[in-house]
Amino acid sequence: MLRRLIVIVTAAILFSNSLTLAQSKKPKPPDEFPPSPLEITTGDPLLPRLPKDKQPLTLEERQKLEPALDALNQEAAAKLQAGDQVAAFEIWNRELRLRRFLGSLAEVQALSRVAAIAWNQNDSEEVKYITQRLQAIQKQAESQKPTAEIDLELWRSLGQAYQNVRSLKLAVEAYDQVLLVVRQQKNPTAVVEILKTIGELHLSWFDYRKAAPIYEELLSLATSQGERVNEVTYLQRLAEIYEQTNQPQQSLNVLNKLAEIYVNENNLTEIPQLKLAIASDYESLAKKDPNLLLEAFKNYQEAYTTAWQLGEYVRAGDALQKLIVLYRSQGQTDAALQASQILVQIQAQAANFYGMMQAYDQIGQLYLERKEFPQALTAFQKGLELAQQLKHEEAYFTGQIEKLSKANL
């Protein structure tokens, strides 16, 4: 009995010790945020010294390291081509860790190159690591030199790298640094170059309000220097911006300048579309000042007339349809009816049978408003003929005809 008790107690002690040992050896949870592979500080066979050595590489050491890193880049590209993405980015990360020993510019250019590849491969982790490293380099660059002495090539490269990781805000910050310096240097060519880059960045992210002052400055510079081609380009950009931001007055100012240039250059093919946009802006402004409706009518008419003279029947039809809608909104049924009858002819010239069908429907509706039922019936019958050819909206026109037929019984 005593012996059995000893065995039980011993077993209990052993179990207790085993449990304690198991608890002490319980595996640690993995790091929630693993360290960036670009920040690994272990040595590398390609380095002449340990990374802790702060002394810059000698010219001879650089000349040995550069081709070795180029070879790593080629090896990584071959791995990716073979379908081994994991191995490819492991090699690229090794290359990037070593590139920093060649200086910030060389490292940023390499980061930019790999960032573009990572983005195309949908490797969000790699993009994140590269972005973090770029920010660290930027912070270091900001602390080293006053703004007037910044390394323009480095900051341009930072801007491009941030573009490659699709970080608009950081890219603009980098280019703003460059812009500040080239302004101080009174370098108009460089100013225009950077402004264009910043403007295109804002437009690529549909940030029209931030793009507006950029293109306004570019327009001012182009106008002052007599650069007509660039002036037209920037006016077109501003027209798009003001349309997207619903600023009809600013849009009008820009569109009228464009129209003046096109007329002076006898480039009439652009006029119908411009006049349509100008008329639309006047319509918007007429909500506050009804007197401006006359300008809307005038410009729709000019758009129609010019398009007709140029044989652009589709554009002429668009302008006339806008004019008809405006007539109807003002209760000018007779004018809308006359314009709709002309619209049928224009759509016929354009061989737009669907447009003809819609025009006949519009004519029928207008005759209904005037309670001229026989004329409305004729219009709907012509519309039905086209609908049957197109095999579209036949039931609609048949229904309209039946209603009129019953009403006349």
Side-chain angles (χ1 to χ4, degrees):
M1 183 69 179
L2 180 60
R3 184 175 179 182
R4 186 180 176 187
L5 183 60
I6 291 171
V7 171
I8 292 171
V9 172
T10 303
I13 293 170
L14 288 173
F15 177 76
S16 177
N17 289 340
S18 298
L19 183 60
T20 303
L21 184 61
Q23 289 175 341
S24 66
K25 291 186 176 181
K26 185 179 180 181
K28 295 180 179 179
D31 291 338
E32 187 177 355
F33 301 103
S36 167
L38 302 182
E39 300 301 333
I40 296 173
T41 56
T42 55
D44 191 287
L46 291 178
L47 280 180
R49 300 187 290 275
L50 291 175
K52 292 181 181 179
D53 189 344
K54 299 298 183 182
Q55 291 298 319
L57 299 182
T58 64
L59 178 60
E60 183 180 356
E61 289 170 340
R62 290 176 62 92
Q63 289 174 342
K64 288 182 180 179
L65 184 58
E66 286 176 356
L69 298 185
D70 292 340
L72 285 179
N73 176 37
Q74 293 174 1
E75 182 184 351
K79 288 284 186 184
L80 186 63
Q81 183 70 26
D84 194 345
Q85 182 172 325
V86 173
F89 280 105
E90 285 178 354
I91 296 169
W92 268 316
N93 286 333
R94 181 188 175 198
E95 178 211 346
L96 294 176
R97 289 195 297 270
L98 295 171
R99 284 283 179 187
R100 72 174 64 184
F101 293 96
L102 298 178
S104 295
L105 178 59
E107 183 185 1
V108 169
Q109 290 172 340
L111 287 164
S112 182
R113 165 171 46 83
V114 178
I117 299 169
W119 182 269
N120 289 334
Q121 296 299 317
N122 296 316
D123 193 331
S124 58
E125 284 294 299
E126 185 69 22
V127 170
K128 180 184 75 173
Y129 296 140
I130 290 174
T131 304
Q132 290 171 346
R133 181 59 193 155
L134 289 170
Q135 289 177 287
I137 295 170
Q138 177 179 340
K139 186 175 181 181
Q140 183 182 21
E142 288 171 339
S143 67
Q144 283 181 344
K145 293 181 179 180
T147 305
E149 300 175 11
I150 70 168
D151 186 336
L152 287 180
E153 191 173 1
L154 172 62
W155 281 91
R156 279 193 178 97
S157 297
L158 276 168
Q160 181 59 59
Y162 283 134
Q163 283 183 252
N164 288 347
V165 295
R166 305 305 192 273
S167 182
L168 169 66
K169 183 174 182 294
L170 293 172
V172 171
E173 284 179 8
Y175 288 124
D176 279 343
Q177 289 289 326
V178 178
L179 183 61
L180 183 61
V181 176
V182 295
R183 285 192 196 279
Q184 292 173 344
Q185 294 175 345
K186 301 187 185 306
N187 185 341
T189 302
V191 168
V192 169
E193 174 199 344
I194 299 301
L195 284 172
K196 286 169 66 176
T197 300
I198 295 173
E200 288 165 6
L201 267 175
H202 287 311
L203 285 184
S204 69
W205 287 82
F206 308 107
D207 197 339
Y208 296 105
R209 293 199 177 275
K210 287 185 179 178
I214 301 297
Y215 282 101
E216 285 166 0
E217 181 175 356
L218 283 167
L219 174 62
S220 177
L221 291 170
T223 303
S224 65
Q225 295 167 11
E227 297 176 349
R228 182 52 58 87
V229 173
N230 288 332
E231 185 179 1
V232 169
T233 298
Y234 301 142
L235 283 168
Q236 291 170 339
R237 291 284 190 278
L238 283 168
E240 175 191 0
I241 288 167
Y242 292 137
E243 179 185 1
Q244 293 294 334
T245 53
N246 193 27
Q247 299 183 72
Q249 185 59 63
Q250 289 85 339
S251 176
L252 266 179
N253 296 339
V254 167
L255 292 172
N256 280 321
K257 287 180 183 177
L258 271 175
E260 183 181 348
I261 291 172
Y262 288 140
V263 169
N264 290 337
E265 294 179 350
N266 201 31
N267 183 8
L268 299 183
T269 57
E270 301 291 339
I271 295 300
Q273 187 62 32
L274 270 179
K275 290 294 182 178
L276 279 171
I278 290 170
S280 179
D281 285 334
Y282 275 121
E283 267 199 89
S284 296
L285 292 171
K287 293 173 184 176
K288 292 184 178 180
D289 183 359
N291 293 326
L292 293 176
L293 270 180
L294 291 175
E295 291 296 328
F297 277 115
K298 173 187 171 186
N299 280 278
Y300 280 135
Q301 289 167 344
E302 288 178 0
Y304 157 69
T305 303
T306 308
W308 176 266
Q309 291 171 347
L310 293 170
E312 294 182 2
Y313 301 119
V314 173
R315 191 65 53 78
D318 291 342
L320 199 53
Q321 182 58 50
K322 294 280 190 181
L323 197 56
I324 292 166
V325 172
L326 194 55
Y327 280 137
R328 295 187 74 175
S329 71
Q330 299 304 303
Q332 299 182 36
T333 307
D334 290 348
L337 185 56
Q338 291 174 8
S340 296
Q341 290 166 340
I342 295 171
L343 182 60
V344 171
Q345 300 172 28
I346 292 174
Q347 301 292 23
Q349 288 282 354
N352 182 358
F353 299 112
Y354 181 79
M356 288 176 67
M357 182 186 73
Q358 289 183 312
Y360 277 123
D361 178 37
Q362 193 164 243
I363 291 170
Q365 296 296 336
L366 287 165
Y367 275 125
L368 284 178
E369 289 179 21
R370 290 158 56 111
K371 301 187 184 304
E372 297 179 8
F373 301 116
Q375 293 88 335
L377 180 61
T378 301
F380 287 131
Q381 287 171 337
K382 290 180 178 178
L384 177 60
E385 291 174 10
L386 289 164
Q388 289 170 336
Q389 293 177 35
L390 297 169
K391 298 187 184 304
H392 183 69
E393 294 190 3
E394 295 171 69
Y396 167 77
F397 282 100
T398 300
Q400 293 292 335
I401 291 168
E402 288 177 353
K403 287 180 186 178
L404 282 169
S405 299
K406 289 178 182 178
N408 290 329
L409 290 176

